[in-house]
Amino acid sequence: MNVLKFGGSSVATAQTIKQVLQIIANHSKNDALFVVVSALGGVTDLLLKAGAQAAANNNDYKITLNEIEKRHLDTVRELIPVTDQSSVISNVKSKLNDLESLCEGAFLLSELSPKTSSVIASYGELLSSFIISEAAKAQQLDLILQDSREYITTVVAEKVTVNYEITNAKITAFAKNNAAKIVLFPGFVAQTETGEPTTLGRGGSDFTAAILAAAIHAKELLIWTDVSGMFTANPRVVKQAKPVSHISYQEAMELSHFGAKVIYPPTIQPVLEKNIPIYIKNTFAPDDFGTLITREVAERKQAVTGISHIENIAVITLEGGGMVGIPGFSKRLFETLYTAQINVILITQASSEHSICLAIDSNDSDKAKSVIDTSFEFEISKGRVHPTKIENDVAILALVGDNMVNHQGLSGKMFSTLGKNNVNIRAIAQGASEKNISVVIAKKDISKALNSLHEQFFEVKTKQLNLFITGVGNVGSKLLEQLQQQADYLKENLRLKIRVVALSNSRKMVFNSSGIELSNWKTLLENGEESSPETFFEQTKAMNLRNSIFVDNTATEKIANVYKNYLANSIGVVTCNKIACADSYINYNELQVLSREYGAPFLYETNVGAGLPIIDTLNNLIASGDRVRKIQAVLSGSLNFVFNYYKKGVTFFDIVKQAQEQGYTEPDPKIDLSGVDVARKILILARESGKIMELSDIQNNPFLPQESLDTTNVPDFFESLKVNEAHFAQILNEATSKDCRLKYVAQYKEGKASVGLQHIPSDHPFYNLEGSDNIVLFYTDRYPEQPLIVKGAGAGADVTASGIFADIIRIGKQ
């Protein structure tokens, strides 16, 4: 004989009940069945709501009762043939009338006793089981309905417990004499020896099924729900979660205790003692294997079986010097909570005995503080113990697995994964069996923590990066194009899944936690909400996604000013915007400190040389113990382009305009031509070399006439270039007459830096630098005479975007 239990989601509607009846019919072909059903989905909550409303003298309880009545009568009309509906509806209405009388009594007395509340709550299962039994008879199933209260006997003390001796005897006697193929029982309900109605509490229908299965020594207990078994994590929070095909009773109890909703922990105890297998099956996908729960599980390589969590937790902390070395202190604390009927979920105590930390249901937090402070009133008044501290809005997260004891370093992996994602651990608990590591974290971090840990312990080393991108102009649009083009390659070869979850420009922003469809990003952004750097940051922070990276493709000071907000929240920053790193040294250093303190990558390779590995090369030299003596460089792709193509017969204005149109200059070309952009770049290299230096310390030798430097907008600047063509022609003629080329050179030597236009002779490494290329010569202790040279394309949207892309990949590979 087998026992089948169907939860509220399985019997929520007439349509789902039809599926349940089909499953019952299929299983009854091979085995006799005991079947347990819950109340229609959501009805128990409605019943408790009606009782509470009535006790509070709120007439809305009648509206709630009408909703309950409609749910059941609608179900009857859909399930039962019209010719048989009259008697069924009459029976249902009779039960509903009794329910209404109970609520009226609570309304008149302004009181709801625990006994009355249990009776009210029991109507959900009594109604559902009756309706389902009548629907089964209509389908000619060999089924009878039995009242669980006649078989399951409880004892009421501080809490309801089952009297197994009486209960098992009653069930065994019934089973011995039963001739029906299928017996249907309402779950949840029971009664005392004297006939006083009781319920089995949360998860009571599971418990009913387990009690029946143990009493008749069932071959299997099948619990039917709305998911295909127990998952590696909550599939509603972790989309990559997958069902676990086989787990032990111990693992199932641990996972269930820490929030896995498909099974209730006490359910397992009766069947565990009889070694009866439990299957967790999906009513809506009955062919799925589900999860098998047994005493023994075949050896497996996987260390962690699942990750579970409980929300709505409060942490209680009791601390003080008066606790140290005092026998019986913990006993008093736990007795106080026991007397107040407050369940303790997690306990941790430092070896110093200076504090005890407990986790309880947040609904009990105020009560717990009151009773503890009262119990230790004397110690608190003498200053030996501090008043109880309560921290709400926290949650417990647990790694569970029988095989964890055989694997080293799991705690380290868990804590480092959470730390990298800015998830602070409030408390830690681990039993000596090492089958469970539990941590208390902020409730707001649950989704990020679960997804991060699942990625670490269960996924095939595929790391997901979540990008928040500001700036979708030349560089930004090229980056999006490259991300879309390389998505499959990154996933297959680098095990990186890169999602763009937010985009913004100066006017609009759009967010999508599931990832923005890059083939349609322009339309989505155009229809987005109003944008600002501050609101973009706030929404990024609120999404609280793991492996978050803010990408700045702008040259805007307002955007650079919010980098510290991202870094302080463990959100990485990748930028081609030079303003932040060329700001005051105090601000530059603050960003470096924040990056280290919060474990948030801060990468800006494209600040110097676009896609060239200049900063990375310099950092590697310094990290390996080398010392920089001198840096010489052509660092402006736009200026190199301009002076490579400025020749007789072509005006300076035409060449600068061409450079702007091809994306080689900043939107305001004066930034490039004034030398400010190059000065920022050599400043960054000097700082990366270890020098404390400000932008004002760099000697800038401009070649632009003062009239051009004094312009305040782009049109006026271009007009000044036309007016001063003779000035630029003279500069060109001077270089040509010396058989030299014009290059805008940056130099750092002996703690000093300068930028300016120079005549480069034919034997110099800079002479043949073509197009918009950049070149850097590093003279160091290891390269004193022949410098280390980095050379290549140093401007353009494509190469800058590829440099940003490379920084993103570098973070992904960390």
Side-chain angles (χ1 to χ4, degrees), residues 67 261 289 320 747:
E67 184 179 348
K261 303 297 185 184
F289 182 82
Q747 180 168 296

Side-chain angles (χ1 to χ4, degrees), residues 54-349:
N57 285 126
N58 184 346
N59 269 306
D60 286 349
Y61 82 89
K62 295 179 181 178
I63 297 173
T64 305
L65 288 177
N66 287 336
E67 184 179 348
I68 293 169
E69 178 176 356
K70 185 177 186 304
R71 283 281 307 276
H72 289 90
L73 293 183
D74 286 349
T75 303
V76 169
R77 293 185 180 105
E78 287 189 57
L79 285 175
I80 309 299
V82 176
T83 54
D84 301 326
Q85 283 182 10
S86 178
S87 61
V88 177
I89 289 175
S90 176
N91 190 301
V92 169
K93 284 190 172 182
S94 175
K95 287 182 170 63
L96 291 170
N97 288 338
D98 294 340
L99 172 63
E100 185 176 11
S101 297
L102 287 169
C103 290
E104 285 176 355
F107 182 84
L108 293 171
L109 294 171
S110 299
E111 181 181 84
L112 186 66
S113 68
K115 178 180 176 181
T116 303
S117 181
S118 291
V119 174
I120 290 173
S122 70
Y123 273 84
E125 276 73 13
L126 296 177
L127 285 163
S128 68
S129 60
F130 171 71
I131 293 170
I132 292 168
S133 70
E134 292 299 313
K137 292 174 186 176
Q139 294 190 15
Q140 307 301 312
L141 292 179
D142 181 10
L143 179 146
I144 61 170
L145 175 65
Q146 293 293 298
D147 190 338
S148 301
R149 293 174 295 186
E150 296 179 11
Y151 301 99
I152 299 179
T153 302
T154 57
V155 177
V156 179
E158 287 85 1
K159 64 176 183 177
V160 175
T161 59
V162 176
N163 185 324
Y164 283 102
E165 183 178 352
I166 296 174
T167 297
N168 289 343
K170 288 181 178 180
I171 296 170
T172 302
F174 167 75
K176 184 177 180 180
N177 298 312
N178 171 56
K181 187 75 171 176
I182 307 164
V183 184
L184 183 67
F185 295 88
F188 186 56
V189 295
Q191 65 182 15
T192 65
E193 282 189 76
T194 58
E196 181 181 337
T198 59
T199 59
L200 298 178
R202 184 173 65 88
S205 293
D206 284 355
F207 200 11
T208 302
I211 292 167
L212 291 171
I216 63 174
H217 300 275
K219 185 170 66 177
E220 294 173 346
L221 168 59
L222 293 89
I223 296 179
W224 293 83
T225 181
D226 57 358
V227 290
S228 295
M230 300 188 81
F231 280 64
T232 49
N234 187 336
R236 294 180 179 86
V237 181
V238 181
K239 293 181 180 179
Q240 291 78 22
K242 52 191 176 184
V244 184
S245 60
H246 193 183
I247 63 174
S248 69
Y249 291 129
Q250 186 69 36
E251 289 172 323
M253 282 195 286
E254 291 280 4
L255 288 170
S256 301
H257 177 72
F258 284 97
K261 303 297 185 184
V262 295
I263 196 170
Y264 180 51
T267 299
I268 299 173
Q269 196 59 43
V271 292
L272 184 152
E273 293 174 0
K274 299 292 178 66
N275 201 21
I276 298 169
I278 304 173
Y279 275 98
I280 310 296
K281 300 282 286 181
N282 189 342
T283 303
F284 311 108
D287 293 331
D288 288 358
F289 182 82
T291 297
L292 170 63
I293 307 172
T294 60
R295 180 168 293 167
E296 302 294 335
V297 177
E299 188 174 346
R300 56 192 172 209
K301 294 180 180 179
Q302 188 74 39
V304 179
T305 300
I307 309 169
S308 196
H309 73 286
I310 317 174
E311 297 185 19
N312 300 318
I313 294 294
V315 170
I316 300 175
T317 302
L318 188 64
E319 61 183 355
M323 296 169 57
V324 179
I326 305 298
F329 200 95
S330 298
K331 176 177 178 290
R332 284 178 60 194
L333 173 61
F334 294 122
E335 277 187 346
T336 298
L337 295 172
Y338 170 77
T339 302
Q341 292 292 289
I342 296 172
N343 183 47
V344 177
I345 300 169
L346 178 145
I347 306 165
T348 181
Q349 181 176 16

